[in-house]
Amino acid sequence: MAGDRRRTQKEVRIADVARLAGVSTATVSRVLATPDKVTPLTHTLVMEAVRRSGYIPNSAARNLRTRRTMMVLAVVPNLANPVLAQILRGIDDELTRSGYGLVIGNLDNRREREARYVDLALSRQVDGVLLMNGHIPENGQRDMTEAGLPMVALCAAMPVEGIPHVVVEDREAAREAARHLTRLGHERLAYISGPAGHVIETERYAGFIEGLREAGLSERNCLRWEGVFGFSAGLTAAADFLRIDERPTAVFAACDESALGFIKAVRAAGVAVPGDVSVLGFDGIEFSDYSDPTLTTFRQPMHEIGRAGADILLRLIRKEQRPEGWNLRLPVELLERGTTGPAPRGKAHPTASLARTAGSAGEA
Amino acid sequence: MAGDRRRTQKEVRIADVARLAGVSTATVSRVLATPDKVTPLTHTLVMEAVRRSGYIPNSAARNLRTRRTMMVLAVVPNLANPVLAQILRGIDDELTRSGYGLVIGNLDNRREREARYVDLALSRQVDGVLLMNGHIPENGQRDMTEAGLPMVALCAAMPVEGIPHVVVEDREAAREAARHLTRLGHERLAYISGPAGHVIETERYAGFIEGLREAGLSERNCLRWEGVFGFSAGLTAAADFLRIDERPTAVFAACDESALGFIKAVRAAGVAVPGDVSVLGFDGIEFSDYSDPTLTTFRQPMHEIGRAGADILLRLIRKEQRPEGWNLRLPVELLERGTTGPAPRGKAHPTASLARTAGSAGEA
DNA sequence: ACCGATGATGTAATCGATTACATTTTCAGG
DNA sequence: CCTGAAAATGTAATCGATTACATCATCGGT
């Protein structure tokens, strides 16, 4: 009766099971962990005791002893980003297959949030870390490398050596973007960037310019609008676009949302897509196929990025010898859809009526 | 030299810090946990030792002793769903504020995945659970309630008593949907459902029918297409729609993706939205404002659902007395945008040319 | 100058599993 | 039937923190 009231639900410990089964705790543990090291009889005995008592091992105790938590931390800049969400699904798939759990380290685009996840990792609350934020998180005092925890970078390679990464062919894709657009006859282009200085951002821009050069153009033919990954970048870019005298006839956006934001805003102002301006996205999010017109874009293998990244991380955790293929560069696929078309011909200002900043400073 | 090689990175334990600072482990622990219970001198001494040694408490040990993990599990049907992603952001915000971490239990729409998260919860790997899947997860043997863990249901109330929930006014909203559409003169309606039997699904349908009744119609005026939460439901619904003789003039979809899928498919077949058919969504995902035309829909307070749910859970974890407001029904807001308009008048078949299943079985 | 209360610190038990090592059982081979 | 290796099981140390309890120091009040 005494000491009875405070535990509404019984806490069953391994010792209870052992007593119930008439064996030692060691044997119970073995039955659960290595069933083949145990007599069939004891096995059934113990399992029955487990069943009857409703025993579930306490993971804190287990983690302490085994020095493993079977948990992985995924640090993402923004949980709500559809690309990252898909990558997380891929990660989750692979982790689940190996019995690992997923802890989300959502930065919500605020870098100061990293500190918390550094602590999480360094306190060994997880066995490994997947980084999708393009750099090593730090908390002011220390950074994540200090723990000696297995880490893998996704989407963007790390600025330091020794961390395997899974990325896509950003540069090549951007080059193809330039090829695609110039081939359609576009000569005045624009680029809506992601966050300045971001690795993949830099890659994509560089690739785009390279592609322009190949086509006999240069970066002087290409406007650059600074932005973030999101709709807003497209909106502000569009605002500028509409203000411009000699408008670009093709726009390459570093992500689909920017592209879609841009399209919405310019169409609202009467600009036709792709009639007046072609728009090319990047990512291939599900929604890009449901806009009107459907968005021409590059499809990233999002699920596979996550899956492969998690796979590599698990191998690191298991301390497998580093084989080839610790670094992956996955290809992307150009989806030619409805928002790109031939450059408008003839007049320099396809939408001259809207160009308010200059009368008609035309050229050809 | 011996035993030196296997630890590339030193594992600093609390005892090391204690020795370095010339105090006991208890004091070190106190400095870190309850700094006010300690002399300023010892405080600096210990902190200095912590700094010098790079000590970080081992969370497994701490969790074992304190019986807390400072982690919360969120069970979601589908991580990539934009509504759930936004809710997760809200959850994360609130958890972060209290120093809690977030473990994701992604079901990926496969119910058998629940088992794993039941184990996770029952093994006390987390301090509480947020359920967004509309029922109590089980693993065949046992279900989540057995652990006596704090739980809160989000989006959908639980079929059992005793679990606080945060939901939105699904029924009221659906009634308003009916009101909105009938007021525009629509009399032949259709409903694209979510997964059959899903709580919120049931609520929304019931509300919609109620609304129709109020307008003097009945469920005989309303087609019902079974679906899931996603684009595909809209596509299949559209396929059926296009096949129909007497087409509905207004469609209410249980989620924005279904609505958008429907719109894409019918427009591809030459049906005008909202000219020939009005479409009303639910959720108010970010994209719904970037489709063309922009989607008329109900905006859920997604972030707030997550935030409030996490808040309640944290209070449960802290064993606060149950005040009022453990159950929340948040309002939704109708966003009247571009996909709903007056019912097409005159001919019974606004798009008769497309109705291939019947010649012209018109009426009015 | 002494007492008791208050506050700071130390000692050691504790959380609940895993596992190294010791012990017992089993069984093939002589 | 005996022997020794292999297999099964048991005993107890261990993981690394927190915290109850014991001890010691401090200090105001008389």
Side-chain angles (χ1 to χ4, degrees):
Chain A
M1 200 179 201
D4 196 4
R5 72 189 58 159
R6 69 167 18 127
R7 41 179 60 179
T8 36
Q9 63 285 352
K10 67 257 165 181
E11 281 294 346
V12 187
R13 299 178 332 287
I14 197 173
D16 302 321
V17 180
R19 196 172 327 112
L20 206 61
V23 298
S24 73
T25 63
T27 299
V28 175
S29 180
R30 277 188 283 252
V31 168
L32 266 31
T34 53
D36 49 323
K37 285 193 173 326
V38 121
T39 284
L41 176 63
T42 32
H43 185 268
T44 43
L45 241 47
V46 169
M47 288 313 279
E48 178 60 14
V50 167
R51 206 190 52 68
R52 291 233 316 276
S53 62
Y55 170 68
I56 304 227
N58 178 313
S59 52
R62 171 180 297 181
N63 294 348
L64 173 58
R65 182 60 223 237
T66 62
R67 299 165 160 284
R68 282 182 298 124
T69 63
M70 302 300 280
M71 286 277 163
V72 160
L73 171 68
V75 177
V76 296
N78 177 9
L79 183 48
N81 179 303
V83 176
L84 296 174
Q86 289 295 344
I87 293 178
L88 285 173
R89 277 190 56 223
I91 291 172
D92 183 65
D93 270 0
E94 187 65 28
L95 292 184
T96 298
R97 198 167 308 163
S98 296
Y100 273 77
L102 176 60
V103 180
I104 294 285
N106 179 29
L107 300 178
D108 218 54
N109 289 325
R110 279 173 281 167
R111 199 158 157 179
E112 65 275 19
R113 283 229 201 174
E114 285 176 7
R116 158 134 184 73
Y117 304 115
V118 175
D119 294 344
L120 208 74
L122 264 47
S123 70
R124 310 213 104 81
Q125 188 98 283
V126 293
D127 295 343
V129 183
L130 290 161
L131 295 170
M132 292 177 250
N133 58 336
H135 62 264
I136 309 283
E138 48 188 301
N139 70 359
Q141 304 293 315
R142 33 181 81 274
D143 70 54
M144 266 199 196
T145 54
E146 291 192 32
L149 267 190
M151 303 197 312
V152 173
L154 265 48
C155 302
M158 281 293 146
V160 301
E161 282 295 313
I163 299 177
H165 59 249
V166 178
V167 300
V168 297
E169 294 175 339
D170 288 299
R171 186 179 283 242
E172 291 81 347
R175 206 148 52 197
E176 192 178 337
R179 227 176 284 137
H180 175 67
L181 294 174
T182 53
R183 208 177 278 151
L184 285 166
H186 296 278
E187 297 185 344
R188 288 203 311 283
L189 303 127
Y191 173 72
I192 305 178
S193 86
H198 197 297
V199 196
I200 69 182
E201 168 49 35
T202 318
E203 284 287 295
R204 288 180 194 172
Y205 184 62
F208 193 56
I209 298 301
E210 280 173 24
L212 292 185
R213 291 237 172 77
E214 287 173 13
L217 301 175
S218 84
E219 53 195 295
R220 288 188 303 106
N221 300 276
C222 181
L223 236 52
R224 185 176 206 275
W225 288 305
E226 202 82 11
V228 293
F229 292 128
F231 290 102
S232 61
L235 299 180
T236 55
D240 201 53
F241 171 90
L242 293 171
R243 212 177 289 122
I244 285 178
D245 189 25
E246 269 181 46
R247 291 181 182 161
T249 63
V251 174
F252 176 45
C255 76
D256 284 351
E257 285 100 324
S258 298
L260 293 167
F262 180 85
I263 292 172
K264 169 178 171 150
V266 299
R267 292 182 94 193
V271 177
V273 176
D276 296 329
V277 60
S278 285
V279 179
L280 180 50
F282 204 112
D283 286 345
I285 60 178
E286 199 177 11
F287 191 74
S288 68
D289 199 25
Y290 290 88
S291 68
D292 184 25
T294 53
L295 184 67
T296 302
T297 188
F298 290 92
R299 187 156 54 71
Q300 293 199 51
M302 305 177 247
H303 194 276
E304 175 60 13
I305 293 173
R307 218 223 85 258
D311 175 54
I312 294 175
L313 182 67
L314 291 174
R315 274 149 56 195
L316 275 177
I317 291 174
R318 298 191 194 108
K319 296 198 194 307
E320 293 182 16
Q321 291 308 308
R322 295 206 168 201
E324 294 312 307
W326 283 86
N327 290 327
L328 253 43
R329 282 173 60 81
L330 305 175
V332 301
E333 178 192 3
L334 174 60
L335 303 175
E336 296 198 36
R337 297 200 286 219
T339 55
T340 50
R345 289 182 305 158
K347 54 197 169 78
H349 297 166
T351 57
S353 63
L354 291 160
R356 295 170 305 140
T357 46
S360 63
E363 49 52 276
Chain B
M1 199 178 200
D4 194 4
R5 72 190 59 159
R6 68 167 18 128
R7 40 179 61 178
T8 36
Q9 64 286 350
K10 67 258 164 175
E11 281 295 349
V12 187
R13 299 181 326 290
I14 197 173
D16 303 320
V17 179
R19 196 172 325 112
L20 207 59
V23 299
S24 73
T25 62
T27 299
V28 175
S29 180
R30 277 187 283 251
V31 168
L32 266 32
T34 53
D36 49 322
K37 285 193 172 327
V38 121
T39 285
L41 176 62
T42 30
H43 186 268
T44 43
L45 241 47
V46 169
M47 289 313 279
E48 178 61 14
V50 167
R51 206 191 51 70
R52 291 233 314 275
S53 62
Y55 170 68
I56 305 229
N58 177 312
S59 51
R62 171 180 297 180
N63 294 348
L64 173 58
R65 181 61 222 237
T66 61
R67 298 166 158 286
R68 283 180 298 124
T69 63
M70 301 299 280
M71 286 276 163
V72 160
L73 171 67
V75 177
V76 295
N78 177 8
L79 182 49
N81 179 302
V83 176
L84 296 174
Q86 289 295 344
I87 293 178
L88 285 173
R89 276 190 57 223
I91 291 171
D92 183 63
D93 270 0
E94 188 64 28
L95 292 183
T96 298
R97 198 167 308 164
S98 295
Y100 273 78
L102 176 60
V103 180
I104 294 286
N106 178 31
L107 299 179
D108 218 54
N109 289 325
R110 279 173 282 167
R111 196 156 161 180
E112 65 276 18
R113 283 229 202 175
E114 284 177 7
R116 158 130 184 74
Y117 303 116
V118 176
D119 295 345
L120 208 75
L122 265 46
S123 70
R124 309 213 104 79
Q125 188 98 284
V126 294
D127 295 343
V129 183
L130 290 162
L131 294 170
M132 292 178 250
N133 57 334
H135 62 263
I136 310 283
E138 48 189 300
N139 70 359
Q141 304 292 318
R142 32 181 81 272
D143 71 53
M144 265 199 197
T145 55
E146 291 192 33
L149 267 191
M151 305 198 309
V152 173
L154 265 48
C155 303
M158 281 293 146
V160 301
E161 283 295 311
I163 298 177
H165 59 247
V166 177
V167 300
V168 298
E169 295 175 338
D170 288 299
R171 187 178 282 243
E172 292 80 347
R175 206 150 53 198
E176 192 178 336
R179 225 176 286 139
H180 175 66
L181 294 174
T182 52
R183 207 177 279 151
L184 285 166
H186 296 279
E187 298 186 343
R188 288 204 309 284
L189 303 126
Y191 173 72
I192 305 179
S193 87
H198 196 296
V199 196
I200 68 182
E201 168 47 36
T202 319
E203 283 288 295
R204 287 181 194 172
Y205 183 62
F208 193 58
I209 299 301
E210 281 173 23
L212 292 186
R213 292 238 171 77
E214 287 172 15
L217 301 175
S218 83
E219 53 195 297
R220 288 189 302 106
N221 299 277
C222 181
L223 236 53
R224 185 176 204 275
W225 289 305
E226 201 82 12
V228 292
F229 292 129
F231 290 101
S232 62
L235 299 180
T236 57
D240 201 53
F241 171 90
L242 293 171
R243 213 178 289 124
I244 285 177
D245 189 25
E246 269 183 46
R247 291 183 181 159
T249 63
V251 174
F252 176 44
C255 77
D256 283 350
E257 285 100 324
S258 298
L260 294 168
F262 181 84
I263 292 171
K264 169 178 171 148
V266 298
R267 292 182 95 193
V271 177
V273 177
D276 297 328
V277 60
S278 286
V279 178
L280 180 50
F282 204 112
D283 286 346
I285 60 176
E286 204 177 7
F287 281 131
S288 67
D289 199 25
Y290 289 89
S291 69
D292 185 25
T294 53
L295 183 68
T296 301
T297 189
F298 291 91
R299 185 156 55 70
Q300 294 200 49
M302 304 178 248
H303 194 275
E304 177 60 13
I305 293 173
R307 218 220 87 257
D311 175 54
I312 294 175
L313 183 67
L314 290 174
R315 275 148 56 193
L316 276 176
I317 291 174
R318 296 190 195 110
K319 297 197 192 309
E320 291 183 16
Q321 291 307 308
R322 296 205 168 203
E324 295 312 308
W326 284 87
N327 289 327
L328 253 42
R329 282 173 60 81
L330 305 176
V332 301
E333 178 193 1
L334 174 60
L335 303 176
E336 295 198 37
R337 296 201 286 219
T339 54
T340 50
R345 291 182 305 157
K347 54 198 171 75
H349 296 165
T351 56
S353 63
L354 290 160
R356 295 170 306 143
T357 47
S360 63
E363 48 54 270

